[in-house]
């Protein structure tokens, strides 16, 4: 009898457990059952539907002539046609790094929703599920009693979830799933889809001058599981083919393609790097860039300690490094044109006419000089300071928070040197390779301790670990300071092959900071600097295609 009773209890318990599972399944399948005309729990209640359609760049991937975005739109139309009923409201959100709400308010006009879906277009933005989830939350209706359903239609790119957004996507989806039931619909193609992409091209120098070679490089990506040897990368400048390189791309890896090009004319130039390989996403097989090439760059060199002996004049070394070969010596005119002036910086009435200001040999700077440099830097100028290493301590505020403190001179042969291995700055990146010009070959017996207030960026360090060159952003400009002098006092650097490229790289970097950016990612602001006298003029924007 006990056996029979236990068996009946176990059967009843099994039946309850099965019913619980069935209820869970029915709850998740309610839209499909409702579409089939089955009246079940709450089927008469109106539903607020949010269609979150991924229109990011990767949705252009195509197989057999159909893109993932086209498949996503078909799925969205299926939801409207087969799941939504009269009385339900529909909102449409295009999700990407910049989500777009197609219907500002939920509509009960299903025909209008169909038209909006059909008219939806792809974007050039990347994938950002956190931004999409936040936007979906903002469009959910706050009316009580309505069931809320979100259909998230995407190709499920890993970059959008979750680590690429710093965990923000995970937090956003916690809030989203608390407010509505989310159905994730993956419209991606089969695993192992072949795709090669070209990264944003970059130049070896921020400041490009006419008739001076510049290195242009880009990173090629292989997102397929099969290696692609001998991929031909092309460089095109102003619609002319000017170079090609073969690159071996490992499976699920990347490689760098490098080109060297000489712009023969100043002015704006448009180029691109592209590859011709068959894959699913042709749109990322090329990458555009723009370059502003200048004829001459005006540099002001302030001589803080003039000397009748050039060997003792630090400004002489800087000016010679900026223009080592002039027309009078049988060479081409220098692209960096230094103007050397002695005396007070604040007395110079037209600092804005120079792309960068270099101050050398100053034992200290007066409050007026510091304020003049601060105004210049705040308005986009670049300042480079080389101190006098045998003077007294002086305040560098407000340019650099803190004091410049000279150190006791080291005994001969016991000085420090620059450590190229510590370079972590784009201006000096090319000098990490010591095979051509070795920054570490010079000995410095006289140095200073640089200000550390405001956590400045360290461009390079001494061999003892101390900062040798620091950078601080001020307004829209930049201030850099070296812990060593620009001349031969206490340093052998001016006599080393690395001195000229060091001065060139630092000055070019600072001069380029005052110019407007030329290459922008989709969604970034285009900022241009215009003189007040140009205010009444018209501005024309030229597209890479040639259209205006």
């Amino acid at each position: 009898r006990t056996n029979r009773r236990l068996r009946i209890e176990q059967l009843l318990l099994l039946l309850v457990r099965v019913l619980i599972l069935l209820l869970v399944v029915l709850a998740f399948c309610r839209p499909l059952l409702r579409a089939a005309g089955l009246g079940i729990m709450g089927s008469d209640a109106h539903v607020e539907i949010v269609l979150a359609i991924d229109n990011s760049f990767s949705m252009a991937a195509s197989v057999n002539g159909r893109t993932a975005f086209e498949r996503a739109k078909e799925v969205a139309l299926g939801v409207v046609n087969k799941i939504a009923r009269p009385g339900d409201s529909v909102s449409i959100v295009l999700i990407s790094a910049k989500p777009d709400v197609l219907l500002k308010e939920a509509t009960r006009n299903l025909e209008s929703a169909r038209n909006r879906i059909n008219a939806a277009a792809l974007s050039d933005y990347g994938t950002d599920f956190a931004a999409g989830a936040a936007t979906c939350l903002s469009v959910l209706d706050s009316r009580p009693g309505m069931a809320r359903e979100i259909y998230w239609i995407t190709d499920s790119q890993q970059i959008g979830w979750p680590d690429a957004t710093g965990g923000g996507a995970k937090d956003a989806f916690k809030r989203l799933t608390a407010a509505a039931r989310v159905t994730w619909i993956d419209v991606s193609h089969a695993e192992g889809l072949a795709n090669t992409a070209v990264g944003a091209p970059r130049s070896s120098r921020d400041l490009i001058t006419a008739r001076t070679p510049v290195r242009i490089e880009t990173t090629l990506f292989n997102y397929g599981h099969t290696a692609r040897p001998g991929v031909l990368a092309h460089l095109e400048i102003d619609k002319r083919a000017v170079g090609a390189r073969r690159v071996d791309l490992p499976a699920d890896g990347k490689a760098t393609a490098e080109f060297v090009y000489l712009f023969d004319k100043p002015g704006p130039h448009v180029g691109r790097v592209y590859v011709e390989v068959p894959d699913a996403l042709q749109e990322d097989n090329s990458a555009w860039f723009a370059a502003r090439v200048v004829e001459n760059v005006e540099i002001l060199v302030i001589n803080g300690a003039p000397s009748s002996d050039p060997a003792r004049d630090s400004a002489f070394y800087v000016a010679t490094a900026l223009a080592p070969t002039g027309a009078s010596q049988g060479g081409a005119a220098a692209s960096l044109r230094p103007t050397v002036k002695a005396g007070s910086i604040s007395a110079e009435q037209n600092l804005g006419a120079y792309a960068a200001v270099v101050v050398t040999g100053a034992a200290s700077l007066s409050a007026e000089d510091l304020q003049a440099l601060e105004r210049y830097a705040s308005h986009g100028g670049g300042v480079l300071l080389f101190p006098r290493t045998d003077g007294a301590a002086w305040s560098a505020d407000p340019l650099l928070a803190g004091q410049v403190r000279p150190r006791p001179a080291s005994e001969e042969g016991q000085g420090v040197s620059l450590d190229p291995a510590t370079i972590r700055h784009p201006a000096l990146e090319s000098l990490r390779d010591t095979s051509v010009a070795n920054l570490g070959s010079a000995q410095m017996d006289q140095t200073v301790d640089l200000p550390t207030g405001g956590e400045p960026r360290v461009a390079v360090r001494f061999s003892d670990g101390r900062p040798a060159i620091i950078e601080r952003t001020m307004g829209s400009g930049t201030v850099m300071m070296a812990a060593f002098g620009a001349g031969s006092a206490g340093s052998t650097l001016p006599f080393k092959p690395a001195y000229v490229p060091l001065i060139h790289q630092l000055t070019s970097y600072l001069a380029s900071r005052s110019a407007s950016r030329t290459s922008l990612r989709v969604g970034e602001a285009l900022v241009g600097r215009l003189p007040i006298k140009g205010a009444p003029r018209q501005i024309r924007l030229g597209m890479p295609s040639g259209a205006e």
Side-chain angles (χ1 to χ4, degrees):
R1 285 196 302 271
T2 302
N3 234 1
R4 285 195 297 270
R5 189 185 76 250
L6 289 174
R7 183 174 298 176
I8 292 172
E9 290 177 355
Q10 289 171 350
L11 287 173
L12 290 173
L13 182 60
L14 176 62
L15 180 61
V16 170
R17 288 173 174 171
V18 170
L19 285 173
I20 291 174
L21 291 176
L22 285 174
L23 289 174
V24 172
V25 173
L26 287 174
F28 275 96
C29 292
R30 184 187 56 77
L32 299 178
L33 292 172
R34 194 179 66 182
L38 302 178
I40 61 172
M41 301 161 294
S43 61
D44 293 331
H46 293 310
V47 178
E48 181 184 358
I49 297 174
V50 177
L51 296 173
I53 307 172
D54 192 342
N55 74 329
S56 61
F57 187 80
S58 63
M59 293 289 285
S62 174
V63 172
N64 297 327
R66 293 182 68 222
T67 65
F69 187 60
E70 290 171 340
R71 295 168 62 177
K73 290 167 68 172
E74 289 178 7
V75 171
L77 288 172
V79 173
V80 174
N81 294 332
K82 298 180 180 180
I83 295 178
R85 295 188 310 172
D88 290 347
S89 63
V90 177
S91 300
I92 303 172
V93 178
L94 298 180
I95 55 175
S96 66
K98 189 178 181 182
D100 185 18
V101 181
L102 293 187
L103 293 173
K104 301 298 182 183
E105 294 183 1
T107 181
R108 288 186 170 87
N109 186 339
L110 300 185
E111 185 60 30
S112 174
R114 294 186 192 97
N115 293 336
R116 292 298 184 96
I117 294 172
N118 286 322
L122 273 166
S123 75
D124 286 330
Y125 293 105
T127 307
D128 188 340
F129 291 151
T135 303
C136 288
L137 274 170
S138 69
V139 302
L140 286 176
D141 201 321
S142 60
R143 286 177 294 176
M146 287 194 70
R148 298 176 179 86
E149 298 171 358
I150 297 176
Y151 294 88
W152 194 276
I153 311 169
T154 176
D155 61 352
S156 306
Q157 288 292 311
Q158 183 179 359
I159 194 172
W161 173 277
D163 296 332
T165 53
K170 184 180 294 184
D171 295 335
F173 266 86
K174 283 183 179 179
R175 297 192 301 272
L176 193 64
T177 52
R181 192 188 67 180
V182 179
T183 302
W184 188 287
I185 303 174
D186 192 322
V187 294
S188 62
H189 299 286
E191 285 292 327
L193 196 65
N195 182 38
T196 301
V198 180
R202 51 198 179 274
S203 62
S204 57
R205 290 183 287 111
D206 294 304
L207 188 67
I208 303 176
T209 52
R211 296 172 296 279
T212 304
V214 61
R215 186 175 72 255
I216 299 171
E217 62 181 37
T218 188
T219 303
L220 306 183
F221 299 89
N222 181 11
Y223 296 111
H225 302 320
T226 304
R228 287 192 164 183
V231 173
L232 190 60
H234 302 267
L235 174 64
E236 183 181 273
I237 302 290
D238 298 329
K239 299 183 179 180
R240 295 186 300 110
V242 297
R245 294 287 185 274
R246 289 204 176 272
V247 178
D248 294 330
L249 279 176
D252 299 303
K254 59 185 179 180
T256 301
E258 293 187 359
F259 308 87
V260 176
Y261 185 71
L262 186 146
F263 291 91
D264 56 351
K265 295 180 180 179
H269 297 268
V270 177
R272 68 169 178 143
V273 177
Y274 66 95
V275 295
E276 294 178 334
V277 294
D279 61 23
L281 189 58
Q282 289 290 322
E283 285 78 1
D284 62 0
N285 284 4
S286 65
W288 293 90
F289 67 95
R292 182 182 293 107
V293 180
V294 297
E295 182 72 47
N296 297 303
V297 181
E298 300 294 336
I299 308 295
L300 176 62
V301 180
I302 299 294
N303 192 345
S307 174
S308 58
D309 182 3
R312 299 179 179 274
D313 193 322
S314 57
F316 169 79
Y317 289 99
V318 172
T320 305
L322 290 173
T325 304
S328 62
Q329 298 168 282
S335 56
L336 297 179
R337 298 201 307 192
T339 299
V340 181
K341 293 186 177 181
S344 172
I345 302 170
S346 56
E348 176 60 45
Q349 298 297 316
N350 196 19
L351 286 179
Y354 299 96
V357 174
V358 183
V359 181
T360 69
S364 64
L365 292 177
S366 66
E368 293 78 10
D369 288 347
L370 286 169
Q371 290 174 1
L373 291 175
E374 180 193 15
R375 288 193 299 270
Y376 171 73
S378 297
H379 289 82
V383 176
L384 177 59
L385 302 175
F386 285 102
R388 183 172 173 176
T389 56
D390 60 351
W394 55 279
S395 174
D397 288 327
L399 286 181
L400 296 163
Q403 282 196 325
V404 179
R405 299 180 181 277
R407 295 171 67 89
S410 303
E411 296 183 7
E412 186 175 354
Q414 301 298 316
V416 294
S417 60
L418 296 174
D419 184 1
T422 64
I423 292 175
R424 296 294 185 271
H425 195 283
L428 304 179
E429 191 64 34
S430 61
L431 296 177
R432 284 177 60 88
D433 183 2
T434 59
S435 60
V436 177
N438 185 6
L439 279 178
S441 62
Q443 287 292 311
M444 301 174 186
D445 300 326
Q446 295 180 6
T447 61
V448 301
D449 286 333
L450 296 173
T452 57
E455 298 182 355
R457 181 181 183 181
V458 178
V460 63
R461 295 182 180 274
F462 285 125
S463 53
D464 62 2
R466 288 184 296 121
I469 300 176
I470 60 174
E471 176 190 23
R472 183 185 179 195
T473 300
M474 176 164 288
S476 56
T478 305
V479 178
M480 300 187 79
M481 185 171 187
F484 50 90
S488 59
S491 172
T492 61
L493 183 59
F495 310 117
K496 301 296 181 180
Y499 184 75
V500 170
L502 173 66
I503 299 297
H504 263 257
Q505 289 296 102
L506 292 175
T507 309
S508 298
Y509 170 76
L510 292 171
S512 68
R513 301 283 286 177
S514 64
S516 302
R517 292 183 59 193
T518 54
S519 295
L520 305 173
R521 294 186 180 275
V522 173
E524 288 186 319
L526 176 63
V527 180
R529 298 184 179 279
L530 304 172
I532 291 178
K533 63 182 180 182
R537 300 178 185 173
Q538 290 185 339
I539 299 174
R540 293 189 178 186
L541 297 181
M543 303 300 181
S545 62
E548 287 192 344

